[in-house]
């Protein structure tokens, strides 16, 4: 039907818009302009909530901006929306509520990603996230090891 075709075309357009914002955000991140990267990446996720690359990049950019709480929110959201790891992540209402301190959330998030690595030990994305998480907790040796595995 016409409405189905219109819905499909709208989703395709949103996907293209999301990728464009993601690529612009990544370019800003590569130039060490994380504030601009965050703005673009947020628009990418607004256009397509399933844009996993944009969610992951947001987590990294928030880390670079020393916003651990938002970094953790986006990394956990990435895990929850990833089809291979969604079952590991806590329910949506548990994420971002700030019911416990950032260090406890960081430790819990690291544990979630370590379990995910158990499922996919060769995933570069998972090892990169672990590097970011170890950096957040100031475990620099572990961060270097994770980045090397990525």
């Amino acid at each position: 039907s016409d409405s189905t075709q219109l819905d499909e075309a709208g989703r395709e357009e949103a996907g293209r818009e999301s990728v464009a914002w993601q690529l612009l955000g990544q370019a800003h991140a590569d130039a060490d302009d994380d504030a601009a990267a965050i703005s673009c990446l947020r628009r990418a996720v607004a256009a397509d909530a399933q844009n996993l690359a944009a969610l992951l990049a947001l987590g990294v950019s928030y880390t670079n901006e020393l916003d651990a709480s938002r970094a953790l929110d986006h990394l956990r959201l990435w895990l929850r929306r990833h089809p291979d790891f969604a079952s590991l992540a806590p329910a949506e209402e548990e994420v971002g509520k700030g019911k416990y301190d950032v260090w406890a959330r960081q430790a819990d998030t690291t544990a979630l990603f370590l379990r995910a690595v158990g499922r996919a030990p060769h995933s570069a994305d998972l090892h990169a996230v672990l590097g970011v998480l170890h950096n957040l907790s100031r475990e620099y040796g572990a961060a270097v090891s994770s980045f090397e595995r990525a």
Side-chain angles (χ1 to χ4, degrees):
S1 79
D2 287 341
S3 66
T4 303
Q5 289 175 331
L6 285 173
D7 285 345
E8 209 170 287
R11 280 194 300 277
E12 286 177 17
E13 178 62 29
R16 283 192 298 273
E17 178 184 349
S18 179
V19 170
W21 281 114
Q22 173 202 328
L23 292 172
L24 183 58
Q26 191 59 55
H28 282 296
D30 292 345
D32 291 326
D33 186 356
D34 285 294
I38 288 167
S39 178
C40 294
L41 294 165
R42 287 173 56 100
R43 290 187 74 165
V45 173
D48 179 4
Q50 298 301 315
N51 185 330
L52 296 176
L55 283 170
L56 192 58
L58 265 170
V60 173
S61 287
Y62 277 123
T63 298
N64 293 340
E65 287 292 294
L66 305 177
D67 190 339
S69 182
R70 285 192 176 131
L72 293 169
D73 285 348
H74 285 86
L75 295 174
R76 291 168 77 100
L77 188 57
W78 178 86
L79 194 71
R80 190 172 59 247
R81 290 191 178 156
H82 196 292
D84 296 336
F85 310 115
S87 65
L88 295 174
E92 189 164 343
E93 60 273 7
E94 295 176 38
V95 176
K97 295 295 185 187
K99 291 185 178 180
Y100 54 111
D101 71 42
V102 72
W103 300 113
R105 287 178 57 219
Q106 189 279 331
D108 288 349
T109 303
T110 300
L112 287 171
F113 276 88
L114 286 170
R115 287 204 314 264
V117 166
R119 286 189 181 180
H122 301 294
S123 168
D125 284 343
L126 291 176
H127 288 290
V129 170
L130 281 171
V132 168
L133 291 168
H134 289 309
N135 190 48
L136 275 175
S137 63
R138 298 181 179 103
E139 298 173 83
Y140 301 117
V144 169
S145 293
S146 293
F147 287 130
E148 287 173 346
R149 285 188 203 109

